Amino acid sequence: MNKSRQMLATVVVYFVLTVGAIFMLLPFVWMIITSLKEANEVMSMPPVWIPSSWEWSNYAEAWAKAPFDTYFMNSMIITVVVTVGELITTILAAYAFSRMSFYGRDVLFVLFLATMMVPGEVLLIPNYVTVTEFGWLNSYEALIVPWTASVFAIFLLRQWFLNMPKELSYAAKIDGCKDRHILLYVFVPLAKPSLVTIALLKIVGSWNAFLWPLIVTNSVEMRTLPVGLTSFTTEAGTIYELLMAASTMVILPMVLLFFFTQKYIVAGVARAGIKG
Amino acid sequence: MNEQPTWASTAKAFVYLLPAFAIIAVFTMYPILSSLVMSFYTDYDFFNNEVYAYGFGNFVELATDPSFRTALLNTLIFVIGVVPASILISLVIAVLLNSNIKGIRFFRTSYFLPFVTSVVAVSIVWNWIYHSDYGLLNYGLGLFGIAPIDWLTDPAYAMPALIILCIWKGLGFNIVIFLAGLQGIDRNHILAAKIDGARGTRRFFHIIVPLLSSTTFFVTLITMISSFKVFDEVYALFSGRPGPANSALTVVYYVYQKFYSEWEFGLASAAAYVLFVIILLLTIVQIVVSKKLVHYQ
């Protein structure tokens, strides 16, 4: 291949990637631009790309128009508790499945894996009935408890644990370590990258969860950000600068999280692919 | 690990398993069976949780309900619209990203960003982009002399609008998985082809595509399964309606309507199970077909 051909190929690669990246980023850019416009600039053709004055007050106004502080707190509490809860149940279960021998282990594990086949939508209605019977409708319990264990996370962490040298736990056992100490002081620290990935995927998932919170909450006090945002669209109607300010506020925490932890999030997604 | 289990070790393991098992048993295993049973409820009193009659009535009703047929058809169109396009675009982008270029981090971040953002929030942003008079999309099309399209209010365009949004949202996830697959390919295969004088396109179709087939299979399966379950995007894009004239009514949206607005628990469970069976059958078909097409290194 000669030099000019090579150059041409590079130019084409950059061109395609750049055009693609523009399409991917434009909605976010447009969201932020709109969120900072004055009302009369929102609906104008051709579109205004740089607002004549930056209306930061749109954010304050959107925030004040709906109880976003409540939504924000709810999303925060739920995300943190669900993630911590899932980490605890996952660590314990993955350890049992990878390092303990017990009757029925393989049967139970297959049973766990089989549940991954069934789409969550099938579980929706019985879970709604269960939650109702527990008296949990419109409460944190309903929003948190069902999500504190995940077969997928157990599977992922079990794989990680299985790859750790057995000598590690034997040595610790000879030194008189109990299982719970081995788990806490040997396995958990060594599994950090995997645990961070599991936690991050859970944080993103529960921050953005919509259908379940929509169904099990019915008062403003219990709404999460995505649910609050959809009701805000009907309240705010077509005041697009406020809608875009609200959307930005919902999206921003996850975008920031992503920028600082992308290595782990991307690794987690990639690892999810490798098991196929 | 290789020790023989004893009752003592079983008891101890049970303590470790209990938290996860309790949650999964109550909120995953039990409901799988429960919703199957529920799909046979033909006369049910939700408030007292009493069942008066069982039968196949719900399935018969689904078969004759025109809106369920619409939902099925729409879902099918949606899947056909999203899956091949998404796979093709993400494969191309992943291959380009895999060539030794500068700025890969920036590009990867741009493509992946939609994945971490709230479906509801981005659907609201797209609702604004699709605005027929002031939306960015119609403005862009106008530059090419295309007349404004009523993306969200014309039944003919509601589904394409939904498909575009969902391809955009899911691209990054697929790209990352393809990249992982590409990086797993033994460089020697490609080098050997280069030495043999195979050009870029030939290398792509005869070396990369076959070696990547297990990844492609996985990505296709995951994209297909998640596409069959589309709901959040519909709800948020059309402000809590299934598109104009039910043009974006999907199966999960139908389940939601029957269950949450009409309190038809049996019918909704039956519809959810029909969806599950369809996904299961297509998964089996894909596995069988892939046995013939997938090459492992």
Side-chain angles (χ1 to χ4, degrees):
Chain A
M1 201 187 278
N2 59 39
K3 260 244 147 70
S4 63
R5 260 190 77 93
Q6 185 102 47
M7 273 284 278
L8 186 71
T10 312
V11 169
V12 171
V13 167
Y14 273 105
F15 179 76
V16 174
L17 286 178
T18 307
V19 170
I22 290 172
F23 271 108
M24 297 312 284
L25 293 177
L26 198 59
F28 295 114
V29 173
W30 190 234
M31 168 185 80
I32 293 167
I33 291 176
T34 308
S35 74
L36 293 168
K37 280 182 184 174
E38 281 178 26
N40 63 330
E41 277 179 342
V42 172
M43 304 270 190
S44 71
M45 268 293 154
V48 176
W49 290 99
I50 298 164
S52 49
S53 68
W54 303 88
E55 296 294 320
W56 293 100
S57 59
N58 287 339
Y59 283 82
E61 204 181 321
W63 189 269
K65 251 202 150 159
F68 276 107
D69 42 355
T70 307
Y71 304 159
F72 203 90
M73 271 309 283
N74 286 339
S75 280
M76 207 70 168
I77 291 169
I78 291 157
T79 301
V80 169
V81 179
V82 163
T83 306
V84 172
E86 188 195 53
L87 284 176
I88 294 170
T89 61
T90 303
I91 289 169
L92 291 173
Y95 186 75
F97 276 128
S98 64
R99 278 297 194 274
M100 297 173 120
S101 49
F102 57 92
Y103 293 118
R105 185 182 67 199
D106 299 341
V107 176
L108 194 62
F109 191 63
V110 168
L111 206 64
F112 267 50
L113 288 187
T115 63
M116 290 212 290
M117 289 285 300
V118 182
E121 287 67 21
V122 167
L123 317 178
L124 200 66
I125 301 161
N127 278 342
Y128 179 83
V129 175
T130 304
V131 161
T132 312
E133 280 178 352
F134 287 175
W136 285 359
L137 269 195
N138 214 31
S139 74
Y140 284 127
E141 285 92 329
L143 291 163
I144 291 169
V145 178
W147 306 103
T148 51
S150 138
V151 173
F152 177 67
I154 293 171
F155 180 79
L156 222 58
L157 191 61
R158 174 182 169 271
Q159 292 302 103
W160 190 282
F161 280 174
L162 283 177
N163 285 332
M164 290 202 206
K166 284 194 186 100
E167 289 73 16
L168 266 179
S169 29
Y170 290 150
K173 271 199 179 153
I174 290 166
D175 288 347
C177 253
K178 291 202 156 63
D179 271 309
R180 57 173 183 275
H181 296 130
I182 298 173
L183 176 57
L184 202 60
Y185 299 118
V186 181
F187 276 64
V188 168
L190 285 173
K192 224 190 220 155
S194 181
L195 290 171
V196 170
T197 296
I198 290 171
L200 287 170
L201 290 177
K202 193 68 172 192
I203 290 171
V204 172
S206 69
W207 185 267
N208 295 334
F210 178 63
L211 183 53
W212 180 253
L214 174 73
I215 286 171
V216 296
T217 61
N218 49 37
S219 74
V220 174
E221 289 73 40
M222 291 312 299
R223 273 181 199 157
T224 59
L225 273 177
V227 180
L229 188 60
T230 53
S231 60
F232 184 65
T233 58
T234 38
E235 288 154 21
T238 52
I239 312 177
Y240 281 102
E241 66 275 23
L242 298 189
L243 281 176
M244 292 307 109
S247 297
T248 308
M249 293 189 292
V250 174
I251 285 174
L252 197 63
M254 287 306 109
V255 171
L256 289 178
L257 183 77
F258 174 61
F259 277 126
F260 292 112
T261 59
Q262 34 167 322
K263 191 172 87 186
Y264 292 102
I265 295 182
V266 170
V269 168
R271 207 173 300 136
I274 286 161
K275 87 181 167 71
Chain B
M1 190 63 194
N2 299 322
E3 302 148 30
Q4 285 302 309
T6 60
W7 286 113
S9 72
T10 304
K12 199 161 95 184
F14 190 70
V15 175
Y16 279 72
L17 281 172
L18 188 64
F21 183 69
I23 304 288
I24 289 164
V26 174
F27 293 105
T28 308
M29 290 175 178
Y30 162 75
I32 289 173
L33 298 176
S34 168
S35 68
L36 182 62
V37 176
M38 219 177 241
S39 64
F40 293 103
Y41 290 3
T42 46
D43 194 357
Y44 176 61
D45 175 4
F46 165 66
F47 295 100
N48 301 309
N49 197 14
E50 267 182 79
V51 188
Y52 303 113
Y54 292 92
F56 287 93
N58 293 320
F59 295 96
V60 175
E61 198 174 334
L62 284 181
T64 52
D65 184 355
S67 50
F68 186 66
R69 241 173 289 157
T70 307
L72 266 181
L73 191 66
N74 285 343
T75 308
L76 207 65
I77 294 170
F78 176 80
V79 170
I80 293 169
V82 169
V83 179
S86 176
I87 302 295
L88 204 71
I89 299 170
S90 45
L91 178 60
V92 169
I93 301 283
V95 168
L96 296 183
L97 281 177
N98 197 40
S99 55
N100 231 339
I101 57 154
K102 287 202 180 88
I104 180 168
R105 251 178 79 95
F106 165 76
F107 286 121
R108 204 182 56 191
T109 306
S110 325
Y111 288 104
F112 197 68
L113 206 53
F115 176 74
V116 296
T117 55
S118 154
V119 171
V120 171
V122 297
S123 300
I124 289 167
V125 174
W126 276 87
N127 175 291
W128 167 225
I129 290 171
Y130 283 132
H131 194 288
S132 51
D133 298 325
Y134 305 106
L136 205 53
L137 188 57
N138 275 352
Y139 169 74
L141 293 175
L143 297 179
F144 295 98
I146 298 169
I149 292 168
D150 291 330
W151 289 101
L152 301 177
T153 47
D154 182 341
Y157 285 99
M159 187 52 83
L162 184 68
I163 289 171
I164 293 171
L165 160 62
C166 292
I167 291 176
W168 175 83
K169 181 88 171 78
L171 223 45
F173 182 88
N174 292 347
I175 289 171
V176 166
I177 294 180
F178 270 130
L179 263 176
L182 283 167
Q183 272 150 18
I185 292 180
D186 191 346
R187 297 293 304 167
N188 290 330
H189 292 299
I190 295 165
L191 277 177
K194 261 191 188 170
I195 291 165
D196 289 345
R199 285 255 172 92
T201 45
R202 267 190 79 106
R203 284 207 302 274
F204 178 75
F205 286 109
H206 290 98
I207 310 286
I208 295 177
V209 169
L211 286 178
L212 208 57
S213 53
S214 68
T215 307
T216 313
F217 169 64
F218 176 78
V219 175
T220 311
L221 203 61
I222 293 285
T223 313
M224 188 199 76
I225 292 175
S226 68
S227 300
F228 265 108
K229 302 192 294 190
V230 61
F231 172 81
D232 299 8
E233 289 89 344
V234 183
Y235 190 97
L237 186 60
F238 299 101
S239 317
R241 280 181 298 274
N246 273 352
S247 53
L249 179 72
T250 60
V251 176
V252 175
Y253 206 103
Y254 179 90
V255 171
Y256 166 80
Q257 270 186 343
K258 289 294 159 196
F259 154 52
Y260 204 62
S261 331
E262 300 171 28
W263 300 89
E264 295 257 25
F265 283 35
L267 198 60
S269 294
Y273 248 94
V274 169
L275 178 68
F276 170 47
V277 171
I278 293 172
I279 293 176
L280 189 66
L281 289 177
L282 284 172
T283 306
I284 293 169
V285 168
Q286 286 211 32
I287 290 172
V288 171
V289 172
S290 78
K291 283 249 160 70
K292 294 202 173 114
L293 297 177
V294 171
H295 300 250
Y296 291 96
Q297 296 195 36

